[in-house]
Amino acid sequence: ALKILELRNKDFTPMLQKALDDLYNRRIDAGTTTERYDKLQLARLLVQNLANLNATDSTDRVFALYNEISDPLLKSDCAIALGKFRAKSYAYRLSRDLADINLAGKDGDTRPQEIIAFGLVQALDSLRDPGSFQALFLASIAWYPNNSRVKESARNALLKIFEDPTEQFAELIQKHPELRVK
């Protein structure tokens, strides 16, 4: 998989898709700790390869994996791949997931949520869907630590969605209940 990543040859796409399907069907999150780790690493490489090769016919499988897997790194890679595939049909779901994380991450170990949020921001940046404006804006001011790249990436993504976001900001000011957001 690493060698294929280096070659960037589209001829490998069917093999990568089949490998991801086989891995998915064998349940990535089953087995011993070592087996799960190995399967997660392989799945990450396969998803990254498919994204780099722009294998858009893998979109549904990658989204299914995104939906079902709990590992933050693989989930983040899947989100980034969906952005690279320009899978606009999933933009609403990705925006909603980012909005949920923006609100949730205050207790305990927030690093996994931060990793997923970063992947979602990257995906939404690639998709440039107008419906993701609010989730990205809230990510730019959310609970994420300043040393995380989530806030900065969200700010940069906001600049690419609308040339003049005045209307979107006016809507946020009118409708959002929190004074801090206004």
Side-chain angles (χ1 to χ4, degrees):
L2 288 171
K3 195 65 171 170
I4 292 169
L5 187 63
E6 288 175 19
L7 296 174
R8 290 185 177 248
N9 187 338
K10 275 194 163 278
D11 294 339
F12 290 110
T13 301
M15 183 189 69
L16 294 170
Q17 290 169 326
K18 184 177 178 347
L20 186 60
D21 284 345
D22 289 346
L23 195 57
Y24 178 83
N25 292 333
R26 291 184 184 170
R27 296 193 27 158
I28 294 171
D29 56 351
T32 66
T33 304
T34 304
E35 289 170 340
R36 283 193 316 264
Y37 176 80
D38 290 343
K39 286 192 274 186
L40 283 168
Q41 295 308 310
L42 180 56
R44 289 188 67 208
L45 281 173
L46 292 170
V47 167
Q48 290 168 3
N49 272 313
L50 289 167
N52 290 336
L53 294 172
N54 198 24
T56 56
D57 49 341
S58 302
T59 302
D60 292 338
R61 174 59 75 210
V62 171
F63 182 71
L65 193 56
Y66 168 83
N67 254 350
E68 295 175 21
I69 201 73
S70 60
D71 179 75
L73 293 171
L74 180 54
K75 197 170 194 85
S76 180
D77 286 342
C78 287
I80 291 168
L82 291 168
K84 287 183 177 182
F85 294 154
R86 301 285 192 258
K88 289 209 177 242
S89 60
Y90 297 116
Y92 174 78
R93 170 65 192 279
L94 299 176
S95 294
R96 195 181 81 215
D97 288 354
L98 179 60
D100 290 347
I101 294 171
N102 290 341
L103 296 172
K106 294 179 182 158
D107 299 331
D109 183 15
T110 58
R111 186 72 182 138
Q113 293 172 321
E114 194 178 325
I115 291 167
I116 296 168
F118 182 73
L120 290 167
V121 167
Q122 295 301 307
L124 294 170
D125 184 14
S126 296
L127 294 173
R128 296 191 178 139
D129 183 69
S132 64
F133 184 85
Q134 183 171 341
L136 286 167
F137 173 75
L138 293 174
S140 75
I141 62 169
W143 58 268
Y144 308 104
N146 289 333
N147 65 348
S148 105
R149 297 182 318 188
V150 175
K151 286 182 171 183
E152 181 184 341
S153 297
R155 282 185 205 113
N156 291 335
L158 281 171
L159 300 173
K160 298 173 187 170
I161 294 176
F162 291 103
E163 209 170 289
D164 180 13
T166 305
E167 196 174 306
Q168 287 68 33
F169 281 124
E171 185 178 324
L172 271 171
I173 291 169
Q174 284 179 337
K175 294 182 179 177
H176 207 282
E178 287 186 51
L179 188 60
R180 173 185 73 82
V181 172
K182 293 179 181 205

